[in-house]
Amino acid sequence: MTNPLLAAWDTPFKLPPFAEISDDDFEPAVREAMAQARAAIAAISENSDAPTFANTIDTLEQADENLGRVLSVFYNLAGADSSETREKLQRVFSPLLAEYSSDISMNAALFARIDSVWNNRKSFDLTDEQLRVLELTRRGFVRSGAQLSGDARDQHRAVKARLAVLGTEFSQNLLADERDWFLPLSDDDLAGLPEFVVATARAAGVEKKANGPVVTLSRSLIVPFLQFSERRDLRQLAYEAWVARGANGGKTDNRKITSETLKLRETRAQLLGYDNFAAYKLETEMAKIPEAVRELLMSVWDKAKPAAEADAAILESMMLKDGVNGPLEAWDWRYYSEKRRLAEHDLDEAELKPYFQLDRMIEASFDCAYRLFGLEAKPLNVPLYHPDCRAWEISRNGVHVAVFIGDYFARGSKRSGAWCSAMRSQKKLGGEVRPIVVNVCNFAKPSAGEPALLSYDDARTLFHEFGHALHQMLSDVTYESVSGTSVSRDFVELPSQLFEHWLEVPEVLEKHALHAVTGAPIPRALLDRLLAAQTYNMGFSTVEYVASALVDLDFHNGDAPVDTMARQDEILASIGMPHAIRMRHATPGFAHVFSGDGYSSAYYSYMWSEVMDADAFLAFEEAGDPFDSETAKRLEKFILSTGGSQDSEELYLQFRGRMPKVDALLKGRGLV
């Protein structure tokens, strides 16, 4: 019987045949597709013809198409709908893929051909995109150890293999801690909780098979619990469990993994000729050097910390008036901040939430994409990997652009956070291929028959991830290796963070923020108060983020620490971390940095991109219309359609004419 993962997909839009795929299909499909890829690589490296772009780079780009297709399905499912079987497969695949990657990057004959094409590039009639792909391909091989030999070569291979295993273990430990912990609530424990929080807790209790409501470690539940629960003891219990993920002892403890990971990254960087991992990692980013990152982060920290400390003094005085003695603690901040927001801005989360229905916010994101780029979304009735998923065909002027899949609700099998991925990326080499793009979120799932309601922050998350999706869907390049979000790490968040700005456009909310019961649009007075409070509590959110980014940078910019928790504490003490605020991601749960090295030394990139997104949206404001067509055309032409086919800084200069300064970010956050 043919493995459905390897067969031709005779499905609408060539979607994966989810209904036919079983977990038993993945390992044989990966091994067969990997064998095919190895054979294709061998054919390139053993080719007796003189190296050309066509017989070396073009063929290399297409060598592992089947493997990529199989893995894109597997890893989407492993992150969004994990199971014991899929976790076991991840542990099998991690060293297997690391070995495969090392075999390719350290294939001397293959690199010699690539190097030959590079050295003779002026003799070929190459397009600008081909030159960029050639440059990135050669650079990627060099940075993966292609020029190493002897013991250094063997050690580099072993380091990569071990890092792959550790990243998988870290992710699975974190998911286990998130999945297994919950706090049962009695009726007395519900004091202060609005009905929407109680309903979410009851739905979570059903999923956990508990006899009543529970608090889980899902952000969509624990954050509102911390905002509204009058039970300080329960807030502390829930908060401490939330920040202790990955640090609970036993088989799911990540602390030793973080230490070993940092040491191995340091070893890898030094084998490749760098002083430390940060120097290695940042070389290919817009920031280039650790000093530039630190300068950005500290310029923001110096504004955010005083703002947060001033807010803390106000919140502590509120707490003392409630008869609670002692300092303000981390589990108190959200509770008293919510009370203060209600007093100062007349904003009540329970009043706001009915206006932010999930379905209406999805429509709002689609509407903005139509007004900006002419994209239309049509629902699709196709088999998907989970009953919660939904799909749409995205088209423009009747021409198919992409398939978009939304997987919005939290569940125990899904890792925390929100992300965008592509089950298939756009490319033209070998024939036009349009993308399949997935947005995964962790919003609270409502009870049957009830509308799904979002917080305003949830709505921002939805817009953020759809901004990433637009980057994938509007991609218009020839080579998959530079398609969509295949850009420098500190540029990849620009489209996503920029798209968040359209949620703040009053006409968007007036049209789509409709009350779940009455259908009435959000009152203008409430909307004005909401928008006026956009920078409320910004000291807190900036401090918790920048602290995490500084810890990440310092972990990698110097000798790897033996004890990561002690080093974390030293770094926070050195910057004067306010007592009542913790890092956004404590080290044992810092998945951005330790589940893989995508954001390692690069967690700062959200803020680097924010400097650009604040300036980029200013271009629309300067044009006098948030939907100005000419500005939108420039945005698509120079940012959204180009992927990594040009240098990131060059792309931004073509769009805006100049590089932005940090002032736009500070102004946008209300810190100046």
Side-chain angles (χ1 to χ4, degrees):
M1 184 175 178
T2 303
N3 189 313
L5 286 161
L6 298 174
W9 292 349
D10 185 19
T11 55
F13 307 105
K14 297 188 183 300
L15 284 162
F18 294 110
E20 301 173 21
I21 297 170
S22 76
D23 287 343
D24 291 338
D25 296 321
F26 282 114
E27 185 171 354
V30 166
R31 292 186 181 278
E32 172 61 25
M34 188 176 290
Q36 294 171 2
R38 286 183 181 278
I41 296 294
I44 299 169
S45 59
E46 296 168 8
N47 189 347
S48 59
D49 294 340
T52 66
F53 190 92
N55 69 20
T56 302
I57 305 302
D58 277 352
T59 50
L60 181 60
E61 282 269 332
Q62 301 174 88
D64 61 356
E65 282 187 347
N66 272 351
L67 180 59
R69 185 174 74 153
V70 173
L71 291 174
S72 68
V73 176
F74 174 74
Y75 280 106
N76 270 275
L77 268 61
D81 192 25
S82 186
S83 65
E84 185 176 339
T85 298
R86 290 171 185 170
E87 290 183 3
K88 181 179 178 181
L89 286 170
Q90 280 183 283
R91 295 192 292 272
V92 171
F93 293 162
S94 290
L96 197 66
L97 292 168
E99 180 184 20
Y100 168 76
S101 173
S102 291
D103 286 346
I104 294 173
S105 62
M106 295 184 176
N107 182 324
L110 177 61
F111 179 67
R113 293 185 66 85
I114 295 168
D115 206 33
S116 174
V117 177
W118 172 254
N119 291 329
N120 294 292
R121 61 191 179 280
K122 292 181 180 178
S123 65
F124 303 115
D125 186 19
L126 301 180
T127 66
D128 289 343
E129 183 180 337
Q130 287 174 323
L131 282 169
R132 175 71 172 168
V133 169
L134 175 58
E135 176 191 6
L136 294 177
T137 301
R138 183 184 182 279
R139 187 177 76 182
F141 270 71
V142 172
R143 288 170 57 81
S144 295
Q147 295 178 316
L148 297 178
S149 60
D151 290 344
R153 184 186 187 90
D154 294 340
Q155 189 177 2
H156 189 270
R157 177 189 290 271
V159 165
K160 283 182 66 176
R162 181 59 179 161
L163 283 170
V165 170
L166 291 175
T168 298
E169 289 181 2
F170 185 98
S171 298
Q172 293 186 352
N173 290 344
L174 187 59
L175 177 60
D177 280 0
E178 291 168 347
R179 180 180 57 222
D180 295 345
W181 188 94
F182 62 90
L183 173 66
L185 300 175
S186 67
D187 289 343
D188 292 341
D189 298 335
L190 304 178
L193 299 182
E195 180 51 39
F196 77 85
V197 181
V198 175
T200 302
R202 293 193 189 282
V206 171
E207 186 197 6
K208 297 298 183 185
K209 296 180 173 57
N211 295 319
V214 302
V215 176
T216 68
L217 299 182
S218 169
R219 179 174 285 272
S220 61
L221 177 50
I222 194 166
V223 169
F225 180 79
L226 293 171
Q227 285 176 303
F228 294 105
S229 175
E230 295 177 1
R231 291 284 303 276
R232 190 179 190 230
D233 58 331
L234 297 183
R235 294 202 311 268
Q236 179 179 0
L237 189 62
Y239 181 86
E240 294 288 16
W242 191 30
V243 299
R245 291 167 296 169
N248 289 304
K251 63 181 182 179
T252 64
D253 198 292
N254 278 333
R255 285 171 287 192
K256 289 184 179 179
I257 290 177
T258 63
S259 298
E260 185 179 357
T261 296
L262 292 176
K263 184 60 181 175
L264 289 172
R265 286 177 180 164
E266 179 185 43
T267 299
R268 183 184 180 198
Q270 291 175 347
L271 286 170
L272 294 169
Y274 298 86
D275 290 339
N276 53 60
F277 189 81
Y280 163 76
K281 182 63 179 290
L282 295 173
E283 180 185 50
T284 59
E285 308 297 336
M286 293 182 73
K288 303 300 182 190
I289 56 174
E291 291 75 17
V293 175
R294 175 170 290 280
E295 181 180 356
L296 169 69
L297 293 174
M298 291 307 299
S299 68
V300 177
W301 177 265
D302 289 342
K303 298 290 185 182
K305 181 186 171 187
E309 289 175 332
D311 288 343
I314 295 171
L315 300 183
E316 187 167 290
S317 68
M318 294 171 63
M319 187 179 75
L320 292 174
K321 288 180 181 178
D322 279 352
V324 180
N325 295 318
L328 183 77
E329 299 290 352
W331 49 87
D332 299 316
W333 191 291
R334 288 174 174 83
Y335 178 73
Y336 284 100
S337 184
E338 183 65 25
K339 282 190 168 189
R340 182 186 172 197
R341 186 174 76 144
L342 177 61
E344 294 186 3
H345 295 279
D346 194 19
L347 280 180
D348 182 352
E349 188 74 20
E351 180 186 9
L352 276 174
K353 202 153 183 130
Y355 291 102
F356 289 90
Q357 300 175 68
L358 172 61
D359 287 351
R360 300 292 82 77
M361 291 300 102
I362 294 172
E363 289 175 4
S365 66
F366 289 163
D367 186 29
C368 291
Y370 174 74
R371 295 181 65 182
L372 288 164
F373 311 113
L375 299 178
E376 297 181 89
K378 177 184 177 182
L380 291 174
N381 183 17
V382 292
L384 298 169
Y385 62 85
H386 192 277
D388 287 346
C389 294
R390 303 154 70 175
W392 294 263
E393 180 190 7
I394 307 298
S395 62
R396 179 157 56 184
N397 299 323
V399 178
H400 176 73
V401 172
V403 171
F404 173 67
I405 298 172
D407 181 357
Y408 295 110
F409 296 126
R411 53 180 174 266
S413 62
K414 183 188 288 187
R415 64 179 171 90
S416 63
W419 64 94
C420 175
S421 59
M423 285 196 180
R424 184 173 68 222
S425 296
Q426 180 272 330
K427 67 171 185 173
K428 296 177 184 176
L429 184 66
E432 180 76 26
V433 173
R434 298 309 307 171
I436 301 170
V437 186
V438 187
N439 274 180
V440 184
C441 300
N442 270 283
F443 304 142
K445 188 174 183 179
S447 301
E450 296 295 320
L453 302 180
L454 307 181
S455 68
Y456 186 70
D457 283 345
D458 287 339
R460 291 182 74 93
T461 297
L462 187 148
F463 267 64
H464 179 101
E465 299 307 332
F466 195 69
H468 281 309
L470 288 172
H471 203 180
Q472 295 276 18
M473 294 189 290
L474 289 171
S475 180
D476 186 23
V477 298
T478 300
Y479 293 88
E480 184 177 354
S481 62
V482 292
S483 174
T485 57
S486 298
V487 298
S488 61
R489 183 64 61 177
D490 49 10
F491 192 71
V492 75
E493 298 298 336
L494 169 59
S496 54
Q497 293 178 181
L498 175 58
F499 198 66
E500 292 179 34
H501 287 273
W502 276 276
L503 184 62
E504 301 170 358
V505 174
E507 63 187 274
V508 173
L509 291 178
E510 287 173 335
K511 180 178 180 181
H512 296 285
L514 307 178
H515 197 280
V517 177
T518 67
I522 188 169
R524 185 63 199 222
L526 179 57
L527 176 57
D528 288 344
R529 297 198 305 274
L530 173 64
L531 296 177
Q534 286 306 288
T535 59
Y536 175 73
N537 204 36
M538 196 58 76
F540 168 86
S541 60
T542 305
V543 161
E544 65 164 7
Y545 165 79
V546 174
S548 293
L550 285 168
V551 167
D552 166 44
L553 179 66
D554 282 3
F555 272 169
H556 297 94
N557 188 29
D559 295 338
V562 175
D563 184 336
T564 53
M565 300 308 294
R567 181 61 184 140
Q568 171 191 293
D569 292 344
E570 289 173 3
I571 297 166
L572 296 178
S574 72
I575 59 175
M577 185 72 172
H579 173 77
I581 305 178
R582 307 274 184 94
M583 292 168 60
R584 181 170 297 180
H585 304 287
T587 295
F590 207 163
H592 280 79
V593 172
F594 292 104
S595 288
D597 72 359
Y599 282 90
S600 55
S601 300
Y603 190 62
Y604 76 92
S605 59
Y606 289 93
M607 188 146 284
W608 190 277
S609 293
E610 189 177 338
V611 174
M612 289 183 287
D613 81 62
D615 180 68
F617 191 71
L618 185 60
F620 286 89
E621 294 178 329
E622 290 169 353
D625 180 0
F627 294 97
D628 179 67
S629 61
E630 291 304 314
T631 310
K633 287 177 184 176
R634 291 204 320 275
L635 178 64
E636 179 177 351
K637 179 179 179 181
F638 297 120
I639 305 294
L640 297 176
S641 69
T642 50
S645 62
Q646 295 182 51
D647 177 77
S648 299
E649 186 168 328
E650 291 176 5
L651 289 173
Y652 194 84
L653 285 170
Q654 290 178 78
F655 167 64
R656 196 70 171 104
R658 56 171 172 74
M659 291 303 292
K661 297 181 179 179
V662 73
D663 306 53
L665 177 149
L666 295 173
K667 181 180 178 182
R669 285 183 169 246
L671 297 175
V672 293

